[in-house]
Amino acid sequence: MKVTGLRLQHLCMRFCMLWLLVWAGAAQAAATTPVPKVQVPGKSSKPAKAVPPPKPVLAPPAGNLVIIGGGLRTENAEVWQRIVQLAGGKGARIGVFGSASINPENAAQATVNKLNQYGAQAFAIPLGVTWPNSDYRKAAEDPEVIAMIHSATGIYFTGGDQARISRALVRPDGTHTAALDAVWDVYRDGGVIAGSSAGAAIMSTTMFYDAKSTLDMLKQGVNDGHEISAGLGFIGDDVFVDQHLLVRGRFARMIPVMLKKGYQIGLGIDENTAMVVNAKRDVEIIGYSGALLLDLSAAITDRGIKGFNISNATISYLDRGDKFNLVTREFTPSPDKADNKLDPNQPDTREPVYTNDILGNNAVLDLMVNLIDNAQQEAIGIAFGNPRDFNPELGFEFRFSKTINSVGYSSTEVEAYSVLKLRLDIRPIQLQQPLYRYR
């Protein structure tokens, strides 16, 4: 059959339309058919997670901390006046939490009276687990209580049981109550946060909770939810704080906690004494006594030794008037010691230094002071318990050594010393039982 030019043109047009329809259908099918996922051996495919919104960036606190080791006496004007001064001076509004006490109303009012003696206009904040005729959970979210806190330029936490403070200010799920957020607002805006004893324990992110004796913690260790729990963290997450340090010989219990939780720096403040920490993280010691500074940044433990042990820890004693920066690690002696650095080539004594009760009242300070101005290069302290205690044959040797970095300063006004950077090694020892026999 003969195909004319017109007929050929029609056939070509139909063929083109048919091809376009087939191509469009294939494209639509490809668009609606799911593309098979490529499986990587050993891995399961998971849907992509939604990216959470960024958290708000909070400015670092502009305020100050006054961390008191407990037993603050009314006549210790230096500490009380500093709290009032940092809160704004005469007439400063300081809100007092008695939450740690079994009788929080009375405890708060007693501290209010002391602060007012030094020029403040302090007031009690009605919030505590055992506050009479009050539901502390509701009080921690009460707008009137929150307004009271926000009206303050300073906050003071009294002594007692630090677990009661965290229970009153932290929700069961671990989040901040409105009251705790308000306390942080005061601190961030330049206010002072002060606390004594239990009020000092809450300053770090970890605090002692239901603590055993220091010796028992060395023997048995520490566990979250038992010996330790979460603190409120005002000083930051890189410094561990403890209190009643020298009087109760607590320096040794800080070390297992610091190792467990990863702290390199620990500060232990003595009774009737305070550490003032400013926004630049300068620490100043004021009051009656001083503080111990533990540095575990170069410390190691030997897993081959059965029982608690540590080597190459660094221990220092900061006396009243001394300063230390937590960022630069620089030490500044008090003015009365600045020009009286001890000469290691002219030691005051040459007698061996030893104590059989290193955990006793002020024993560690006495040993450190006796060693730093001595021809001896090391000192030994022993810790052991009652023969009727758990595992009575287990004790510990504390070996303090001078290194090329060890430095001492002596006051020109009173008998007082600052001791820097002694090496501390602790290892378990086996004691003979019985420890003694009658002649």
Side-chain angles (χ1 to χ4, degrees):
M1 181 178 63
K2 186 177 181 180
V3 180
T4 64
L6 182 61
R7 184 176 179 83
L8 179 62
Q9 183 178 4
H10 282 303
L11 288 173
C12 289
M13 290 178 64
R14 287 181 180 180
F15 177 78
C16 289
M17 291 178 66
L18 180 62
W19 182 84
L20 288 172
L21 288 172
V22 171
W23 179 85
Q28 183 176 4
T32 57
T33 302
V35 178
K37 297 180 180 179
V38 179
Q39 297 289 335
V40 179
K43 293 185 178 180
S44 59
S45 60
K46 294 181 180 180
K49 295 182 179 179
V51 178
K55 295 181 179 180
V57 178
L58 299 175
N64 297 271
L65 301 175
V66 180
I67 306 173
I68 307 155
L72 181 60
R73 298 186 178 182
T74 305
E75 63 270 21
N76 193 334
E78 185 179 19
V79 176
W80 291 109
Q81 287 175 350
R82 184 66 69 89
I83 296 170
V84 175
Q85 175 196 346
L86 293 173
K90 186 176 181 180
R93 287 184 55 78
I94 301 176
V96 179
F97 283 88
S99 310
S101 174
I102 192 67
N103 193 332
E105 190 174 22
N106 288 356
Q109 191 57 51
T111 300
V112 165
N113 295 340
K114 292 176 184 177
L115 287 166
N116 289 346
Q117 287 180 33
Y118 288 94
Q121 290 185 356
F123 56 93
I125 297 174
L127 173 57
V129 175
T130 56
W131 195 279
N133 304 315
S134 175
D135 182 337
Y136 71 95
R137 290 291 181 206
K138 292 181 179 178
E141 314 290 349
D142 188 338
E144 291 187 7
V145 173
I146 310 311
M148 289 178 67
I149 298 171
H150 277 140
S151 73
T153 53
I155 299 293
Y156 189 105
F157 290 95
T158 69
D161 182 351
Q162 54 263 31
R164 294 193 189 105
I165 300 176
S166 59
R167 187 178 170 194
L169 291 176
V170 179
R171 299 186 185 110
D173 63 1
T175 59
H176 288 192
T177 61
L180 182 52
D181 281 337
V183 171
W184 272 97
D185 289 341
V186 172
Y187 182 33
R188 289 193 181 96
D189 290 344
V192 60
I193 308 295
S196 178
S197 189
I202 62 169
M203 295 289 180
S204 51
T205 52
T206 301
M207 68 182 189
F208 283 104
Y209 177 66
D210 186 16
K212 300 188 287 282
S213 72
T214 297
L215 187 60
D216 282 344
M217 275 187 273
L218 294 178
K219 290 181 178 182
Q220 303 174 40
V222 294
N223 299 284
D224 284 305
H226 294 278
E227 290 78 24
I228 56 174
S229 65
L232 302 186
F234 296 115
I235 199 170
D237 59 5
D238 58 340
V239 179
F240 179 64
V241 173
D242 201 4
Q243 20 72 28
H244 298 283
L245 232 285
L246 297 172
V247 169
R248 302 187 186 180
R250 286 181 167 178
F251 77 99
R253 78 176 193 171
M254 296 175 63
I255 298 174
V257 176
M258 292 172 65
L259 288 173
K260 182 178 181 65
K261 305 301 287 187
Y263 292 99
Q264 291 188 357
I265 295 293
L267 284 169
I269 187 71
D270 197 27
E271 291 185 359
N272 203 24
T273 309
M275 300 183 292
V276 181
V277 187
N278 66 18
K280 295 180 180 179
R281 308 202 81 193
D282 293 311
V283 179
E284 179 186 2
I285 309 300
I286 63 173
Y288 175 74
S289 183
L292 285 179
L293 168 67
L294 290 167
D295 184 344
L296 304 189
S297 56
I300 58 174
T301 58
D302 186 345
R303 295 185 179 180
I305 297 177
K306 186 178 180 180
F308 174 80
N309 69 92
I310 190 168
S311 298
N312 205 35
T314 301
I315 186 168
S316 303
Y317 173 71
L318 310 180
D319 194 38
R320 58 180 299 178
D322 292 344
K323 295 181 180 179
F324 179 80
N325 186 275
L326 293 170
V327 179
T328 64
R329 310 284 174 90
E330 292 181 358
F331 169 81
T332 305
S334 59
D336 60 314
K337 303 191 197 80
D339 297 325
N340 204 28
K341 185 177 179 180
L342 298 178
D343 184 352
N345 297 316
Q346 295 182 341
D348 185 58
T349 61
R350 296 180 178 276
E351 298 177 356
V353 185
Y354 170 81
T355 177
N356 60 4
D357 186 14
I358 190 63
L359 303 181
N361 184 349
N362 276 306
V364 64
L365 176 58
D366 291 342
L367 182 145
M368 292 172 66
V369 168
N370 287 332
L371 176 62
I372 199 63
D373 200 12
N374 196 311
Q376 302 291 331
Q377 294 302 301
E378 66 178 26
I380 300 293
I382 302 297
F384 58 90
N386 189 303
R388 296 181 179 86
D389 288 345
F390 168 80
N391 201 359
E393 69 278 3
L394 175 60
F396 294 88
E397 177 196 77
F398 291 70
R399 185 179 297 268
F400 297 77
S401 309
K402 286 188 285 190
T403 71
I404 59 172
N405 297 316
S406 301
V407 182
Y409 292 87
S410 176
S411 171
T412 57
E413 299 176 0
V414 294
E415 188 176 353
Y417 294 83
S418 302
V419 183
L420 304 180
K421 298 183 178 180
L422 292 177
R423 172 174 170 154
L424 172 61
D425 302 303
I426 307 173
R427 61 179 295 151
I429 57 175
Q430 189 79 17
L431 296 167
Q432 298 295 326
Q433 295 295 331
L435 292 175
Y436 62 88
R437 291 184 177 90
Y438 293 109
R439 288 182 178 270

